[in-house]
Structures are given as C-alpha cells and as structure tokens.
Amino acid sequence: MSALTVDGRDGAARTGRLRTAHGEVRTPAFMPVGTHATVKSLDPDEVRACGADIVLCNAYHLALRPGVDLIERAGGLHSFMGWQGPILTDSGGFQLVSLSRVTAVDEDAATFVSPYDGTRLRVSPEDAVGLQARLGGDIVMCLDQPVAWGSDATTALAATARTHRWAARCREVHPGGDRLLFGICQGGFDASARAASARKIASLDFDGIAVGGLSVGEPVDLMEAMTATSVAELPDDRPRYFMGLGTDNELLAMVALGIDMFDCVAPTRLARTGAAMTPDGRLVLRRAAFRDDLRPLVEGCPCPACRRFSRAYLRHLFAAGEILGHRLLSLHNVAHLSALMAGARNAIGRGGFESFRATTEARLRGADASGSELDDSVSPPYASPPAGSAQIPGTLGRRG
Ligand SMILES: [Zn+2]
C-alpha cells in the first residue's frame, strides 16, 4: 500500500498526504534543508510554525560530522536535533557531483574525502541505506550517481546504469516497515534515457521516487521537458520528489507536472544575503530604498518578521550586522515557500490550480517589469558560485 493518499487532482497536479512514522506531510510540500541537522538559525518549533511539515537532513555531512555513532546514541536525529516531525535524509549522491574533486566512484561504492579533516568515507549503496536508518530518517534515499550539466552522453548513460544497479542493491537491504525508501531516477538530458530510467526505478517498487540530476544549470524548458518525460513513467500512487528547486515559478511548474515534494537551501541562503522572497519577487533589504520603509516585508504574511517588524528595521539589522536579521528573513522565506505550497494545495483541491499559477506568475512578472523591487543580482551564491565553491555552476546549491 502506498504511503501517499491523493485527495485531489487538477490536471496532472495533485494534492494529498504522505504518511511517515513521525506524522503526515501535506503535499505538494516544500522541505526546508537542514544540512547539518539544523535549518540554519531556526529553532525546530519555528520551522514548524513557518508551515513546514518535514525537513531534509544530509546523511553525508552528518556522517562526517558529528558522526552517526553519536547521533544514534542520542536516540536518532529526531531527538538529537529536537524536531519531532518527519525527516528525509539525503544519501550523498548529489555530493558526488557537487564535490567531485574530493569524491571517487567505483562499482562497489562512492568514496568521499571530508572537507573538515581529510578523512575518507567510503559508502556503498548498502551503507547509504544503513547509515540513514541509523540516523533515523523517516524517508531514506538510495545512493545514486548524478552527472553534471554538460557531461557527454556516454558518461550520463554509464552513471544512469550504475544508479540502477545501486538502486537494486539499496532495495535489497532495505527492511521495509514504516521507514520509507525512495528510489532516484536519472537519465541525463536524453528523453529516451530519462524515460528508461524512470521505468527501471519504477519497476523496483520503491515507496516514492525522486527525479534526480535536474536543476543543475540546464535551461528551464529542458528541465521541464525532462521532468515531464520522467513523471510519465512513474506510478501514479507513489510520491514524486524533485530534488533541489526553490523559486516560485519553478515550483509551480513542477507541481503542474505532478511533482509532490521539493527541497532547496534557497530560503535560508537568501536570508543570509539579506534577500526576502515575496509574491512580488525578491526584496533586497540592503538597498537604500528601504531605509525609511516602515511597511512590513509582505502585508498579511503571518510570519514573525512581517507581523512585528518593518522593512526599515530589517534593513537596519543587516546594516548593523545583527544576526536577528538573518533569523527573521529565514523565518519569512521558509514561511513564504510553505505558503506557496499551501496555496497550491488549496487551488488543486478546488480545481483552480492553473488560475492560481497564472496569478502568481503574473504578479512576479509585474514586479519584474516595474523593475522596482525584484533583484536577482544581489546574491552571488545564487547566480554564480564564488571561486572555489563546490557547487555546480548555475545551481541553487541545493545541498549546501
Ligand atoms: Zn513574512
């Protein structure tokens, strides 16, 4: 039986509930990223209050620091990090690309070199599932081998074939029960390879399936085409997770294609740079225009930053280097994407998703055309990773 109950449909978009051992996730869902077992600067109660049902933690980073033994002794991630809701753990496959200078892959396993102290961590597909189970993830991910945007077809096909073999090995050692195991389909940027990979992963009867290897710098229309090709081959009754995506337009485009779950570091990473995500685009609070602006960030937003503080105050916090500014913007940005998903769920439920999407996009376009507030240029980590960064060029650096 699928852990997903679909409650409503509108075209290919659907809304539902995903059952996990630590509660339900309302879908479509945005998952804030807690790479190091914390959604940066936020207390778990605050994350929940922002509307998040589930958080993502990164098994690779946590295995390196502080180590799985300690987290297991603490009673697992839920008790270690004080979050009692659902947790999805990421296997580390993405780091095989993003940290490709310090990783190596052979048929049996992936080898990571710790950026903290240089120690080697060798992880087989079986290890990846075992480590995530010891961490206590409610949803654990197969170890996969994505490829970078621009890789040649031979490389992409070989990595996809290895991803399939690794998926079967992960499936083999997963004990089942109430811990869910998600497969990941790949296929590079070739439609027939994408479709074949989705079919192969679907055949292994996972609890859910992620569409991997996209949003790595490719054009948006290609990303959408590859996603549609993948989704067409996936079982309707299983949750579908698009790995790493965080702008309003992109999220809604993927919801329209039938994706149920997303994650991205964008809300907290943008917050660190002083950028607020709003229905009218990004507000860059360092700009002088906000010096005397006593309006809230977003009128009607229920988050603590908007309920209690003005744009001028938030700008002041950033100008003065006060960490409360980062915290308040993180709260707001997580609340913004959670509210976007809540809006999508409601719209799908009443059969008005396309209208909701059109209205949301038109408002963003309007702000863009006015040129007054939307500004994508202020956050260098977003647009182009700094030299020496381990991100794939053009990505949102989804795993931090
Ligand atoms: Zn707000």
Side-chain angles (χ1 to χ4, degrees):
M1 192 178 93
S2 175
L4 178 73
T5 301
V6 176
D7 295 319
R9 297 175 187 275
D10 187 2
R14 67 254 193 101
T15 181
R17 290 159 292 140
L18 174 62
R19 283 178 306 282
T20 79
H22 283 81
E24 279 188 350
V25 179
R26 297 164 291 177
T27 64
F30 177 77
M31 303 184 281
V33 175
T35 303
H36 300 286
T38 166
V39 178
K40 283 192 192 306
S41 85
L42 301 185
D43 176 279
D45 294 341
E46 295 174 323
V47 175
R48 177 67 90 179
C50 287
D53 289 343
I54 177 172
V55 299
L56 181 151
C57 293
N58 190 283
Y60 154 78
H61 284 286
L62 294 170
L64 292 175
R65 188 175 70 183
V68 178
D69 289 346
L70 175 67
I71 293 174
E72 198 174 30
R73 273 213 312 282
L77 266 178
H78 293 87
S79 96
F80 188 58
M81 69 183 284
W83 167 266
Q84 293 309 321
I87 295 176
L88 182 147
T89 48
D90 186 7
S91 65
F94 182 72
Q95 278 73 27
L96 293 178
V97 185
S98 66
L99 305 176
S100 57
R101 285 166 303 157
V102 291
T103 57
V105 178
D106 56 56
E107 183 59 23
D108 187 53
T111 302
F112 303 89
V113 179
S114 168
Y116 310 121
D117 61 9
T119 52
R120 286 174 178 278
L121 177 68
R122 190 167 164 78
V123 179
S124 68
E126 293 84 359
D127 295 335
V129 171
L131 284 172
Q132 293 175 79
R134 288 178 62 204
L135 289 170
D138 298 296
I139 301 173
V140 307
M141 301 298 299
C142 286
L143 185 66
D144 65 329
Q145 188 185 4
V147 295
W149 167 238
S151 298
D152 61 68
T154 309
T155 303
L157 281 175
T160 297
R162 176 166 287 148
T163 292
H164 298 165
R165 293 190 293 273
W166 283 3
R169 288 166 57 183
C170 289
R171 187 76 188 79
E172 189 68 27
V173 296
H174 177 64
D178 57 7
R179 193 184 314 285
L180 307 178
L181 175 66
F182 279 25
I184 304 174
C185 57
Q186 292 288 343
F189 295 93
D190 176 80
S192 62
R194 272 273 150 200
S197 183
R199 275 196 300 275
K200 174 65 185 175
I201 297 299
S203 76
L204 295 174
D205 194 30
F206 289 107
D207 298 304
I209 296 175
V211 178
L214 297 176
S215 188
V216 292
E218 73 280 13
V220 171
D221 55 352
L222 181 59
M223 176 176 80
E224 291 186 22
M226 291 296 111
T227 304
T229 300
S230 305
V231 168
E233 305 293 341
L234 299 182
D236 181 72
D237 68 337
R238 302 300 154 92
R240 305 159 181 161
Y241 162 29
F242 189 105
M243 305 176 80
L245 197 66
T247 71
D248 296 25
N249 285 342
E250 290 172 341
L251 290 174
L252 295 185
M254 294 300 147
V255 169
L257 293 175
I259 297 289
D260 306 301
M261 303 164 69
F262 305 93
D263 74 283
C264 192
V265 297
T268 47
R269 180 165 293 170
L270 275 176
R272 197 164 58 232
T273 69
M277 309 171 87
T278 84
D280 298 304
R282 286 182 203 150
L283 291 188
V284 180
L285 286 165
R286 292 182 189 280
R287 292 173 61 180
F290 299 117
R291 188 195 307 273
D292 304 312
D293 192 338
L294 294 173
R295 294 175 295 170
L297 271 180
V298 175
E299 201 69 56
C301 173
C303 90
C306 296
R307 261 199 343 262
R308 302 179 59 194
F309 305 105
S310 66
R311 296 173 175 185
Y313 179 68
L314 292 166
R315 181 181 186 281
H316 159 69
L317 291 178
F318 276 93
E322 288 290 341
I323 55 174
L324 182 61
H326 177 199
R327 273 180 39 68
L328 289 174
L329 279 200
S330 295
L331 287 167
H332 169 79
N333 286 347
V334 171
H336 170 76
L337 287 182
S338 298
L340 182 75
M341 292 295 98
R345 292 194 295 268
N346 291 338
I348 294 166
R350 62 171 194 273
F353 177 71
E354 274 313 316
S355 157
F356 170 77
R357 183 184 171 194
T359 307
T360 303
E361 290 182 351
R363 190 167 167 185
L364 284 165
R365 265 200 312 277
D368 199 12
S370 76
S372 58
E373 294 179 327
L374 187 69
D375 186 348
D376 288 343
S377 66
V378 75
S379 350
Y382 240 41
S384 56
S389 152
Q391 297 172 27
I392 303 172
T395 71
L396 293 171
R398 68 187 172 92
R399 292 294 180 271

